[in-house]
Amino acid sequence: MTELTIGALADRMQCQTETIRFYEKEGLLPAPARSGGNYRLYGQQHLERLAFIRRCRSLDMTLDEIRVLLQLRDKPAANCVEVSSVLDEHIQHVADRISDLRTLQKQLHDLRQLCASADEHGCGILQELARGTDEPQPARTARHVRGSHSHRARR
């Protein structure tokens, strides 16, 4: 494979050049070689690594999770148990988020049912939403929203 400019790599991977620069800045992609004109030149290693990163992101993995997986991938004797552990933790974050979303969905359905209770004071939904303004709302635990959790340090 010949070397690719950042634009050619972005086109080939169907992503933005800013994404590539961001992954470089984050240390997920190694710094590319430079041409005589100081253009970034990417090789097969960059293409494969960017494909790996993008696949992980499509699975909603955080940068920290990807960083750990890349470190394990770069080890010649990577232990599948360590990789599985990262994935198991991610699966739990996804399960927690699904649970939170189901709770949210139920709250929204319950709220939607108040539409039928409109009276001389107006819409039941708006009344219920306004009712909560004086009461402190319970703090929601941040779960797996992109980048909201960090991976525990691995040895």
Side-chain angles (χ1 to χ4, degrees):
M1 179 181 124
T2 60
E3 294 176 323
L4 301 170
T5 64
I6 193 168
L9 179 62
D11 287 344
R12 190 148 177 200
M13 294 303 301
Q14 298 179 349
C15 69
Q16 301 294 315
T17 58
E18 293 82 13
T19 301
I20 296 168
R21 287 188 196 105
F22 175 76
Y23 290 148
E24 282 178 34
K25 183 179 145 222
E26 288 293 317
L28 298 175
L29 277 177
R34 295 283 183 155
S35 71
N38 205 28
Y39 289 102
R40 290 175 167 97
L41 296 175
Y42 297 89
Q44 185 66 32
Q45 153 194 7
H46 295 97
L47 188 68
E48 291 170 6
R49 197 165 177 101
L50 184 56
F52 183 91
I53 293 166
R54 291 190 36 85
R55 176 68 173 129
C56 289
R57 292 297 288 156
S58 76
L59 295 170
D60 205 28
M61 291 184 183
T62 66
L63 296 181
D64 287 337
E65 289 168 327
I66 296 168
R67 194 171 282 110
V68 171
L69 290 174
L70 284 169
Q71 289 169 354
L72 292 169
R73 182 177 179 241
D74 292 342
K75 283 183 185 177
N79 186 334
C80 197
V81 172
E82 293 176 82
V83 174
S84 293
S85 176
V86 173
L87 195 60
D88 288 343
E89 191 172 320
H90 183 66
I91 290 168
Q92 186 58 53
H93 288 293
V94 171
D96 292 343
R97 184 68 180 137
I98 289 170
S99 176
D100 287 349
L101 288 171
R102 285 191 176 126
T103 299
L104 176 60
Q105 183 181 34
K106 182 181 179 335
Q107 290 170 346
L108 291 170
H109 279 294
D110 292 348
L111 188 60
R112 178 62 180 87
Q113 294 303 313
L114 296 176
C115 186
S117 67
D119 57 22
E120 69 275 359
H121 300 292
C123 176
I125 295 171
L126 295 176
Q127 289 174 18
E128 179 62 23
L129 291 172
R131 187 180 67 79
T133 58
D134 295 337
E135 303 169 12
Q137 297 297 309
R140 289 188 47 87
T141 304
R143 296 261 169 99
H144 185 73
V145 176
R146 291 185 200 269
S148 68
H149 66 273
S150 61
H151 195 274
R152 292 186 298 239
R154 300 245 180 236
R155 294 178 194 201

